[in-house]
Amino acid sequence: MSEPVPASESGPARASGALGGAFAGRDDEIAVLRAHAHRAASGLTQMALIEGPAGIGKSALIDAAFTPLTEFPLLIVPLDEHDRPRQGAAAWRVFHWGAEPVAPVTMSVQEQVDAYIEICNSVTEPMIVVMEDIQWLDDTSAEVLWRVLRAIDTYPGLLVATMRPEARLLQSRFRHLAQSSPRAAHVVLDPLTLEETREVVRRGIGHSLTEAAARRVHADTGGSPLHVAAFTRWLEHAPPSERTVDGALCAARDAAEPRLAAFDRAVALAVADLPQPHRAAHEALALAGRPLAPAELERLAGAPIPRDALLARGMVTWTTPGSGYEIARENVARAIRRAMTGERRAALHRALASLASGPDALLHRAHAMEDDPTDDQRDELAAALLAAGREALADGRAAAASALLVAACRAAPTPAGILAATEAARRAGTPSLLLELADPIEALPEGPLRTVLRDRLVLLRGGSVTELRTIAAPGGTTAMPPSVRLLFAEEMAEVGSQLMAAGQLGRGRFAAAFAGIVAGLDALLADPAQIAEAEHELAAPGIRGRAVAARALATLWRDFDGEGAAGAADQAAQLPDVLETLRREAGTEAAQVSIRMLTASRHRSMGRRAEAYEELLDITAPTAAPVNLYAHTMLAMTLFEAGQWDDAWAAIDVTLAHAVERPLSTESLCAAAVAAMILGARGETEAAERHLRRIEASGPRAAEPIVAMAVDYAHAWGALAAGDADRFAIAMERVGDNFMGWWFLGLPTAGLIAHALYEAGRAEMLGDLGLRLEASAIPASPEARDYALAHVRAQHARALGVRAAARDQFRLALAHVDALPPMRPALRRVHGLGLHRAVLALDVAAFACENADDVGADRENVIALVTWAANLFHRCGAEGLHARAMDLAERLRARRSAPPTPAPAEAVDTTALDALTTRERQIALLVGDGLSNREIADELFLSPRTVEFHVANALDKLGLPSRVELRRLLRARRHP
C-alpha cells in the first residue's frame, strides 16, 4: 500500500487556494468536521457529507478544517468527469491511498466490497479520507462505497465526501445517510451573505466597502468564497492605478485565473451533463438578464421542464416577485455564457429579443450583433439604441441610458452617441463606463471632443493631471460646441481641485488655462441659445447650474494660481461670498461642497479646529452627496488630533471605502496616509505598512507635496508611539520642511516638532524653529500661534537650562491651548488640539521631573495634567504613550515631600458633576462609595473595560487626577 498523502501536499495540488478571510461564517462547519474526526479516533467510524454548488468553498473548507489536525493522516481523492466511465477505478483509489489501478478493475461488486472491508479492518491508526466531487463517481464505485460504508463501524477513520446538489440515486443515498445517522454529519454550504462578504473583503484589504459596492460585489460573485477571495486579492495586490472595485470585479471574472477557470469548467460540465431541454433552459436563463416565466422558458427550451427537475442542480432558482426562473448566482450565469459558442449566444439573444420589447429587445439585438458581427442592420440598430438611450436620459433613468448608449457606441460610434454616453455615465455615478468606449473615443475625428474625452480617460486610469492635453494648451474654449465646452470646464474644475491638493497652484502655470475656461463659460451663460443647445446635446436640463458651478471653481483656481501664496488668504476670505452665490443656483451642490471644504481647510490651518469640525461634520453627513474624499480625510485628521481616534478611524474607513470606487487620485493617497497614521499611532505597524506600501507603489504621485507630507506625518506618529525619538524627529523635520505641512496641519504642528527635536537631542535647532515661526506668513488664530510659539520657546529655554523661562513658557503654552474653544461643546474638555495638549503635558511633566526640587506647589497640577494625558492616550489606544505618561506621573508622585493637604470641603466645586452624562454620573457615585471597577461592572451588568472607560471620562471632565480625588469630591457633595 502507498502512504497517505499529507494534507500539506494535497491541498495546493487541488488548487483549492488559501482563501484567507473567506471563511467568515464557516466556523460552525469547521467545528462539526473536527468533532467527527476526533470521534473517529476513538474507534467509531464517522462520515461527513459536504454539499454545495461549484465554487462555494468545499475544498477550502476541508483544508481549513483538517490541515491543522497534524495527528491525522489525510488522504484526498479528487474526482472529475474522466472517472465516470472507468468502472470501479474510483473505489480502488479510495482504498489504495490514492493510487491508480494499473489495469481495469474486473472484480465483481461483492468481491470489491469484501476486499475493501478487509482493508478497513486492518487499519488501526485514525485517519481522514476525503472523496471530492462524488457526483462523478462511476456506478460500480458508487455501489461498492455504499455497501462498505454500511458494513463498517469500527474503522478508526472519518470518511468525507463532497458533492454538488444533484438528484441521482448515489447523492440521495449519501444525503439520507448523512442526515439520519448519528455517526454522520450533513454540512450544507450556502453562499456567503452580504454581511459575510463585506467582512471577508474588510479583513483582506484593511478597510470597509460602501454598502452599494458591497451589494455589487455580492451580486457579481454570487457570494462564492472563491470569487470573493479573487476580488479581495486583486484589491490587496493590484497596482494603485488599477485598484478599484471595477478592476477587482473584472479580476474576479478572469477566466484565465486557474481557480476561476476550474470553477467555469465545473459549471460547464454540470450544464453539459444535463438533458438537452434542461441545458437549453439554463443557457437561456444565463443570457436573459431577467426572470423568465415558465411559458417563455418552454418556448426557448423547446419542451416543458418540470419545476423540480429544473431546480434540482441548485443553479436555477424561482423568484417570487418576478414569478419566474433565473440563474441563482451571477458567477454561475457568467460561466454558462462563456461555455457557449458565439453562434449559440447570438441565436438565443435573438430569441430573447423576440420575447421582449422596447429597450430590452434592443439590448438583446445588440448582444447578438456582438456575438455575430455579420448582422447587416448595424446602423439601424445603433440609431435605435441612441434614440432609446437619449429618451431614458431625458427621463432621468441614467443607469438604463448608460447601458443603451454604450451598446449604441459599440455598434456604430458617433460623436453624438459618445457625448450622450459620457453624460449618462456621469449622471449614473459610473464614470468608469467611459473606459469601455476607449476605442470609439480614439476613433473620433481630431477635435475638442476627442481631446477632452481622451483626457477623461487619463484621469479614469489613474493618470496625473500633468499628462492632460487640455491643461497644457486649452486654446479658445469659446470656439468649442456648448456641450463640449461644459464637459471641458467640469473636467478642469476637477483638475483644479487636484492641482490645489498637490500644491501645484500658486505658480502661475495654469492661470491662463482657467481664465480661458471662465471666458468660455461667460459666453455660454450669456447666450440662452447656447444653453438650450447644450441641454439638447446632453439630454439634460439644469445646464445653467452646472455652468455656474464650473465657472465659480475655475475662477477660484485661476485666482489661486495667478496670485500665489501671498494672495491665498485674500482669496480664502472671499469663499463665503462665492458660496452664497452658488446657493442661489440649482445644480451647484458639488461645487458648494468644494468651497466649504476649502473653508474648513482654512479653519484647520488657522488652528480653529472647532469651526473646522462643525463645517466638516456637515459636509460629510450621511445624507450629503456627492462624497468629498478630502472632506472625510480632513475630518479624520481633525478627530485624530483631538484625541478621538475611534471616530477618526470611522471617518477614514468611509473615505477609503469610497476611494476604492474611484480612480487613483491625490485624495485617495492622502486617505491611505491618514489610515496609516491612525494605525501606526496605535502600534498596529503591519496594518499601517500595508497602506504606506500602496502609496509608495503609486509612483510619482507619492512625491506630491501633500501626499509626502501626510506620509511623513504618519511615520512620525508611528515613531512617537514606538518611542523612537530619532525617527520621530526626522519625520517631523520633513513635515516642517514641506510647505504643505504648515498649510494643511497649521502652526500648532510646531509644538510637535519642538517635542521631536528635544527628544532626539537636536535642541540646537529649536532657536531657528522659533524664528521661522515668528516670521511665518501662514494665517493662524492668536491662540494657536501663541501656543505654538510658547511651546517652542519653552523647549528651547529648557534645552539652554533657563528653568524660570521654560516654566513660564510652558504655563503660557498651556494657557493658550486651553483658551481654544472645545471641539464638541457638549464635552467641554475635548480639545480640538487634544493630542498637542497631551504631548505638551509630556514635556511639562518631564521638565518637572528634571527640576523636582523646584516644582513646589505646581507638582499636583502637573500630576493632574499628565494623568489627563495618560487617560487620553489610553482611550486612543496609544499604549506606549499611555505608559510613558503614567511613568512620569508616578515619578512625580514618588517625589512628593509630604502628602498634599486636602482642600476644605466647602472649597470643592461640586457643580462640575453636571457636565457628566447619566452613565458617567452613575458610575462616579459608585466610585464614591468605594466600589472597584469589577464591582461596578457586576452591579451594572457592564464589562470592566466599559467601566474603566467611563471612569476615565469622568476624571477627564472633572479635571481630577485619580479616583481618590473623585471620592473626596463626592464626600464634599454629600456632607457639605
Side-chain angles (χ1 to χ4, degrees):
M1 284 187 186
S2 304
E3 291 299 316
V5 180
S8 59
E9 296 177 10
S10 60
R14 287 152 43 245
S16 62
L19 298 184
F23 273 87
R26 301 291 197 234
D27 291 344
D28 290 344
E29 289 84 349
I30 290 173
V32 167
L33 293 175
R34 288 180 180 172
H36 278 276
H38 289 296
R39 286 178 201 153
S42 67
L44 295 175
T45 306
Q46 303 288 305
M47 177 200 165
L49 176 65
I50 304 174
E51 185 173 3
I56 204 65
K58 299 185 291 293
S59 296
L61 176 63
I62 288 169
D63 287 345
F66 299 136
T67 299
L69 304 183
T70 55
E71 68 272 28
F72 291 90
L74 176 61
L75 169 67
I76 297 178
V77 181
L79 306 175
D80 58 31
E81 72 277 14
H82 301 297
D83 286 293
R84 189 171 288 176
R86 303 166 59 211
Q87 297 299 313
W92 175 280
R93 290 165 58 200
V94 169
F95 294 101
H96 291 82
W97 309 116
E100 292 284 350
V102 296
V105 179
T106 58
M107 292 187 295
S108 68
V109 169
Q110 189 57 50
E111 288 173 335
Q112 292 181 60
V113 170
D114 293 340
Y116 298 152
I117 290 175
E118 184 178 348
I119 290 174
C120 290
N121 290 335
S122 69
V123 176
T124 58
E125 297 297 324
M127 68 175 302
I128 300 170
V129 178
V130 179
M131 296 174 288
E132 289 192 322
D133 289 328
I134 63 171
Q135 71 273 5
W136 297 116
L137 275 174
D138 61 276
D139 293 338
T140 299
S141 293
E143 184 64 28
V144 169
L145 288 168
W146 174 249
R147 293 188 189 184
V148 171
L149 279 173
R150 299 193 62 181
I152 59 175
D153 57 10
T154 58
Y155 166 70
L158 170 61
L159 304 175
V160 182
T162 73
M163 72 176 193
R164 299 175 198 142
E166 288 193 17
R168 289 176 61 203
L169 175 61
L170 167 68
Q171 275 86 343
S172 299
R173 279 177 164 183
F174 274 82
R175 188 181 294 114
H176 177 72
L177 177 61
Q179 291 172 342
S180 59
S181 172
R183 297 187 293 117
H186 184 211
V187 177
V188 178
L189 294 186
D190 294 317
L192 298 176
T193 65
L194 173 62
E195 285 308 311
E196 288 168 349
T197 299
R198 291 185 78 174
E199 179 61 16
V200 168
V201 177
R202 187 196 64 77
R203 290 182 190 174
I205 65 176
H207 62 80
S208 301
L209 292 178
T210 66
E211 180 74 18
R215 290 188 181 281
R216 285 179 62 202
V217 174
H218 188 253
D220 200 87
T221 62
S224 159
L226 178 68
H227 293 79
V228 174
F231 172 89
T232 305
R233 280 195 302 272
W234 176 265
L235 280 186
E236 177 62 9
H237 301 295
S241 60
E242 301 174 31
R243 187 179 178 269
T244 63
V245 168
D246 287 330
L249 286 174
C250 288
R253 303 173 192 139
D254 184 6
E257 208 276 345
R259 281 166 287 198
L260 302 182
F263 169 85
D264 284 0
R265 180 169 171 271
V267 172
L269 288 171
V271 173
D273 198 40
L274 295 170
Q276 174 51 39
H278 293 220
R279 187 187 316 153
H282 280 70
E283 291 173 341
L285 290 169
L287 293 172
R290 64 178 178 88
L292 292 178
E296 293 177 308
L297 197 58
E298 180 179 340
R299 179 174 169 184
L300 292 165
I305 303 175
R307 175 172 174 167
D308 290 345
L310 192 59
L311 302 180
R313 297 293 181 98
M315 290 186 283
V316 175
T317 186
W318 174 264
T319 173
T320 303
S323 299
Y325 297 105
E326 63 181 357
I327 299 296
R329 299 184 290 153
E330 172 56 26
N331 55 334
V332 174
R334 192 163 51 243
I336 295 173
R337 292 194 293 268
R338 283 176 175 161
M340 299 164 63
T341 65
E343 183 179 357
R344 174 63 175 159
R345 287 196 300 268
L348 274 175
H349 274 303
R350 292 189 186 100
L352 286 162
S354 68
L355 296 176
S357 61
D360 285 344
L362 289 174
L363 287 173
H364 279 300
R365 286 181 58 195
H367 290 313
M369 183 177 295
E370 288 184 1
D371 288 320
D372 181 13
T374 60
D375 197 315
D376 59 357
Q377 297 181 328
R378 182 175 298 274
D379 291 339
E380 177 269 327
L381 176 59
L385 286 164
L386 177 58
R390 288 178 59 83
E391 181 181 347
L393 195 56
D395 291 343
R397 294 178 287 117
S402 295
L404 290 162
L405 292 167
V406 168
C409 293
R410 284 175 172 167
T414 62
I418 293 175
L419 188 63
T422 302
E423 174 66 12
R426 186 196 73 83
R427 288 166 60 184
T430 54
S432 60
L433 276 178
L434 206 60
L435 293 170
E436 299 183 27
L437 302 180
D439 290 339
I441 288 172
E442 288 295 332
L444 284 171
E446 195 66 48
L449 178 61
R450 181 172 183 263
T451 301
V452 168
L453 294 183
R454 287 175 73 185
D455 277 357
R456 288 207 167 190
L457 292 176
V458 169
L459 295 176
L460 288 171
R461 289 168 177 150
S464 168
V465 294
T466 58
E467 301 174 42
L468 305 184
R469 298 171 179 84
T470 46
I471 198 166
T477 60
T478 53
M480 294 180 179
S483 55
V484 178
R485 196 184 319 162
L486 178 63
L487 292 179
F488 172 62
E490 290 178 327
E491 175 191 304
M492 290 296 288
E494 178 184 346
V495 166
S497 298
Q498 296 195 31
L499 290 170
M500 182 76 172
Q504 296 294 320
L505 292 184
R507 305 175 187 180
R509 293 168 55 195
F510 309 109
F514 288 113
I517 292 166
V518 172
L521 289 172
D522 284 341
L524 176 65
L525 290 166
D527 187 350
Q530 290 191 38
I531 293 287
E533 182 181 345
E535 289 182 341
H536 172 73
E537 291 176 342
L538 298 175
I543 291 297
R544 176 179 174 79
R546 288 168 60 181
V548 168
R551 185 193 182 284
L553 291 174
T555 302
L556 270 180
W557 308 143
R558 178 199 66 189
D559 294 344
F560 272 122
D561 191 54
E563 299 184 21
D570 293 337
Q571 293 302 321
Q574 304 302 316
L575 292 177
D577 294 336
V578 176
L579 185 61
E580 188 57 37
T581 300
L582 290 174
R583 283 174 172 157
R584 292 196 292 267
E585 195 76 44
T588 62
E589 290 75 15
Q592 291 179 41
V593 169
S594 295
I595 300 299
R596 295 180 66 190
M597 190 271 294
L598 289 172
T599 302
S601 179
R602 183 165 184 263
H603 285 319
R604 263 189 57 82
S605 67
M606 294 186 69
R608 297 201 295 250
R609 301 301 167 88
E611 292 93 328
Y613 173 72
E614 291 300 325
E615 190 76 60
L616 292 168
L617 204 61
D618 195 39
I619 297 172
T620 58
T623 56
V627 171
N628 186 296
L629 298 185
Y630 263 131
H632 280 81
T633 301
M634 203 178 301
L635 176 63
M637 181 75 84
T638 302
L639 289 164
F640 176 84
E641 293 181 334
Q644 307 293 301
W645 288 9
D646 287 341
D647 290 346
W649 179 258
I652 207 62
D653 193 47
V654 170
T655 316
L656 295 171
H658 284 280
V660 82
E661 296 183 49
R662 306 179 187 185
L664 178 69
S665 65
T666 303
E667 296 100 316
S668 61
L669 294 178
C670 286
V674 172
M677 176 186 69
I678 298 170
L679 294 166
R682 281 180 158 165
E684 299 177 37
T685 306
E686 185 176 344
E689 286 297 324
R690 168 192 284 181
H691 292 285
L692 293 173
R693 283 194 299 270
R694 289 172 184 161
I695 298 172
E696 185 179 359
S698 66
R701 281 184 178 274
E704 292 180 356
I706 194 169
V707 178
M709 177 277 301
V711 168
D712 287 332
Y713 202 48
H715 281 303
W717 276 102
L720 181 60
D724 190 334
D726 287 335
R727 193 159 55 91
F728 178 48
I730 291 170
M732 286 307 301
E733 279 187 81
R734 287 200 298 260
V735 170
D737 290 340
N738 185 326
F739 75 95
M740 287 302 295
W742 296 106
W743 282 98
F744 187 78
L745 299 174
L747 291 186
T749 306
L752 297 178
I753 297 175
H755 175 85
L757 293 174
Y758 187 92
E759 292 295 314
R762 302 182 186 183
E764 70 279 0
M765 302 176 67
L766 288 166
D768 180 62
L769 177 61
L771 293 175
R772 287 171 58 192
L773 204 57
E774 291 170 359
S776 174
I778 296 174
S781 66
E783 298 87 354
R785 181 181 294 276
D786 290 343
Y787 149 71
L789 275 169
H791 196 166
V792 172
R793 288 168 177 166
Q795 289 289 73
H796 191 208
R798 178 186 172 193
L800 295 174
V802 186
R803 292 187 296 179
R807 184 186 304 109
D808 291 344
Q809 290 298 323
F810 275 132
R811 285 172 176 165
L812 281 175
L814 188 60
H816 289 311
V817 80
D818 283 345
L820 291 164
M823 196 175 76
R824 291 176 172 171
L827 301 175
R828 64 184 180 86
R829 294 185 67 81
V830 175
H831 291 268
L833 295 175
L835 281 189
H836 294 73
R837 187 178 192 266
V839 171
L840 173 63
L842 294 178
D843 290 336
V844 170
F847 172 75
C849 287
E850 295 163 2
N851 301 276
D853 297 334
D854 197 31
V855 174
D858 284 341
R859 186 189 312 275
E860 296 306 318
N861 291 333
V862 175
I863 291 173
L865 176 65
V866 77
T867 302
W868 169 86
N871 289 335
L872 179 71
F873 289 137
H874 180 62
R875 286 199 304 273
C876 289
E879 293 307 321
L881 292 170
H882 168 255
R884 182 177 175 188
M886 290 301 295
D887 178 65
L888 288 168
E890 289 303 319
R891 287 167 58 190
L892 287 168
R893 291 189 186 102
R895 297 190 182 191
R896 285 171 171 152
S897 56
T901 304
E906 62 272 13
V908 178
D909 178 16
T910 61
T911 61
L913 287 175
D914 297 336
L916 303 184
T917 66
T918 301
R919 176 66 82 184
E920 289 165 353
R921 187 180 299 109
Q922 181 185 29
I923 289 175
L925 291 173
L926 292 173
V927 170
D929 291 336
L931 273 67
S932 68
N933 285 356
R934 170 62 69 181
E935 291 168 335
I936 296 172
D938 292 341
E939 177 82 13
L940 301 179
F941 300 99
L942 300 172
S943 72
R945 183 63 181 258
T946 300
V947 173
E948 181 183 1
F949 173 79
H950 286 303
V951 170
N953 273 350
L955 294 175
D956 183 9
K957 292 179 182 180
L958 296 172
L960 299 174
S962 68
R963 300 165 71 95
V964 173
E965 300 302 324
L966 177 58
R967 285 196 291 271
R968 181 180 297 134
L969 175 68
L970 291 170
R971 283 199 301 272
R973 180 182 178 91
R974 292 169 178 169
H975 307 291

